[in-house]
């Protein structure tokens, strides 16, 4: 049995208390009270299960403050001649669609929102992910970052509609863009703001790997402010918040890579810790607990450090 709580994601997006670290402070009240309610649910659930039941508490990501600098990637690419924005009002139309979406969420009953989104996929795309699509001059765009700023895609011929980058130029351009992103710094401090930039084949495999972004960015969250600086060897290029697209939502918190994992049960080593656990280790670990074979092509590993020695020996 599995239960999913989406509310923790939503409340932290909109009520993250900034740099306030005192969890008893009033700014933490919405998040703290929600976690207390989930804790009460867990107490009730644990009272219903017997001693042979194993329980996992898993989050698919962690949380932290906003990262406005990540929205500066596309303006930076534009300044470097790798991307061009449309001049015919495409950005304004995308903002209008997003405002209409937010207004609709407030006035349309929640039970009707999902059916409407399924019935009108094109309108939903314009309002959610379509802002980037409608704002770029695609015949003059070689690369673009996602709105979240965590990945970069080349506008490749034969893959993207109206692609501009030839397959022969793909690897050279990708390496050039990677060099740009790796060397980004904070304009105020000069500290590098990117920990790593990985090529898609370093992380993904399988028949759909070609649908992954070409570059994936691991940001130095503690070093991020609200701007980016790239030094070309001549005049440095600096992009500030005035050039980056503003979100129409009042998001105060953003995702982080490190989340929560807790395990309890008769096979679990009480008081133990597990280092290096990843989200895709959960599925093979559950199969192991159920006494089932883990498919050879499944990502992840069994977190055998969780278990008491007898469990490991018998399986």
């Amino acid at each position: 049995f599995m239960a999913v709580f989406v509310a923790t994601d939503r409340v932290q997006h909109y009520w993250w208390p900034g740099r306030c670290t005192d969890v008893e402070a009033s700014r933490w009240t919405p998040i703290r009270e929600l976690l207390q309610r989930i804790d009460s649910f867990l107490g009730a659930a644990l009272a219903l299960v017997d001693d042979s039941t194993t329980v996992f508490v898993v989050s698919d990501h962690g949380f932290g403050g906003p990262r406005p600098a990540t929205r500066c990637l596309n303006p930076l690419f534009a300044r470097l001649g790798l991307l061009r924005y449309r001049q015919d009002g495409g950005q304004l139309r995308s903002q209008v669609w997003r405002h209409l979406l937010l207004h609709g969420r407030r006035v349309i009953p929640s039970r009707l929102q999902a059916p409407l989104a399924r019935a009108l996929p094109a309108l939903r795309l314009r309002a959610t992910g379509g802002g980037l699509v409608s704002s770029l001059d695609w015949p003059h765009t070689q690369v673009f970052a996602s709105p979240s700023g965590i990945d970069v895609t080349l506008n490749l011929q034969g893959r993207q509609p109206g692609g501009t980058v030839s397959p022969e130029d793909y690897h050279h351009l990708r390496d050039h863009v990677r060099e740009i992103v790796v060397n980004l710094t904070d304009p105020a401090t000069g500290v590098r703001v990117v920990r790593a930039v990985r090529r898609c084949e370093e992380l993904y495999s399988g028949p759909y790997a070609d649908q992954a972004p070409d570059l994936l960015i691991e940001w130095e969250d503690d070093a991020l402010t609200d701007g980016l600086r790239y030094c070309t060897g001549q005049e440095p290029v600096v992009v500030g918040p005035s050039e980056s697209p503003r979100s129409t939502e009042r998001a105060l918190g953003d995702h982080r890579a490190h989340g929560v994992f807790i395990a309890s049960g008769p096979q679990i080593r009480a008081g133990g810790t597990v280092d290096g656990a990843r989200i895709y280790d959960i599925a093979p670990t559950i199969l192991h607990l159920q006494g089932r074979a883990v498919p050879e092509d499944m990502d992840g590993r069994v977190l055998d450090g969780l278990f008491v020695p007898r469990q490991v020996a018998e399986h």
Side-chain angles (χ1 to χ4, degrees):
F1 178 81
M2 182 172 75
V4 180
F5 293 95
V6 182
T8 51
D9 178 89
R10 303 301 187 263
V11 76
Q12 289 179 100
H13 270 305
Y14 294 104
W15 293 96
W16 190 259
R19 296 184 180 276
C20 176
T21 57
D22 179 8
V23 296
E24 298 301 325
S26 60
R27 295 178 65 180
W28 276 95
T29 298
I31 298 174
R32 185 177 63 247
E33 290 185 352
L34 175 64
L35 293 178
Q36 287 171 340
R37 291 183 65 178
I38 293 176
D39 189 54
S40 296
F41 166 84
L42 285 171
L46 290 170
L48 293 174
V49 302
D50 57 30
D51 292 338
S52 64
T53 301
T54 300
V55 178
F56 284 173
V57 178
V58 184
S59 71
D60 58 336
H61 56 73
F63 252 93
R67 302 185 293 184
T70 61
R71 297 198 297 270
C72 295
L73 269 180
N74 282 329
L76 176 71
F77 292 154
R79 294 272 296 275
L80 295 174
L82 297 169
L83 173 153
R84 183 185 293 183
Y85 288 103
R86 289 173 58 174
Q87 303 300 317
D88 58 359
Q91 288 179 283
L92 178 61
R93 284 197 297 272
S94 67
Q95 291 176 2
V96 170
W97 278 113
R98 286 187 63 82
H99 281 293
L100 287 174
L101 172 68
L102 290 173
H103 181 69
R105 284 175 173 169
R106 296 187 184 102
V107 299
I108 298 173
S110 57
R111 68 180 184 280
L112 300 178
Q113 291 184 19
L116 279 173
R118 289 193 295 268
L120 303 169
L123 291 180
R124 181 176 183 272
L125 177 63
R126 287 187 188 181
T128 54
L132 178 67
V133 173
S134 61
S135 66
L136 296 186
D137 182 353
W138 290 102
H140 297 92
T141 292
Q142 295 177 283
V143 301
F144 57 96
S146 64
S148 64
I150 61 172
D151 53 72
V152 176
T153 300
L154 273 62
N155 191 20
L156 185 64
Q157 293 175 1
R159 184 180 66 181
Q160 267 71 36
T164 60
V165 179
S166 69
E168 293 78 15
D169 295 333
Y170 173 82
H171 291 287
H172 173 74
L173 179 59
R174 186 174 66 161
D175 288 344
H176 174 56
V177 175
R178 183 176 181 275
E179 184 271 337
I180 292 172
V181 178
V182 164
N183 289 290
L184 293 175
T185 60
D186 184 322
T189 65
V191 174
R192 289 199 175 190
V193 295
V194 172
R195 184 176 303 150
V197 181
R198 293 185 171 85
R199 301 171 182 87
C200 57
E201 62 269 21
E202 297 175 35
L203 297 176
Y204 298 116
S205 61
Y208 302 103
D210 60 343
Q211 298 182 22
D214 297 300
L215 295 170
L216 295 107
I217 305 169
E218 186 177 354
W219 294 92
E220 290 279 9
D221 293 315
D222 293 337
L224 280 178
T225 55
D226 56 0
L228 295 175
R229 179 180 185 269
Y230 173 64
C231 187
T232 63
Q234 303 172 356
E235 188 71 21
V237 178
V238 178
V239 177
S242 62
E243 298 179 63
S244 63
R246 294 181 179 273
S247 173
T248 55
E249 298 187 2
R250 192 182 61 87
L252 299 178
D254 205 352
H255 296 175
R256 295 293 187 271
H258 297 290
V260 173
F261 177 71
I262 308 170
S264 175
Q267 292 93 357
I268 305 301
R269 185 165 49 89
T273 60
V274 176
D275 295 324
R278 300 163 297 182
I279 188 70
Y280 42 82
D281 296 333
I282 302 303
T285 300
I286 291 174
L287 289 174
H288 173 87
L289 275 169
Q290 293 177 335
R292 299 181 181 273
V294 178
E296 292 183 359
D297 63 347
M298 176 175 275
D299 290 333
R301 63 184 177 89
V302 175
L303 297 173
D304 49 17
L306 284 176
F307 304 122
V308 295
R310 187 181 67 182
Q311 171 73 13
V312 178
E314 293 177 354
H315 295 78

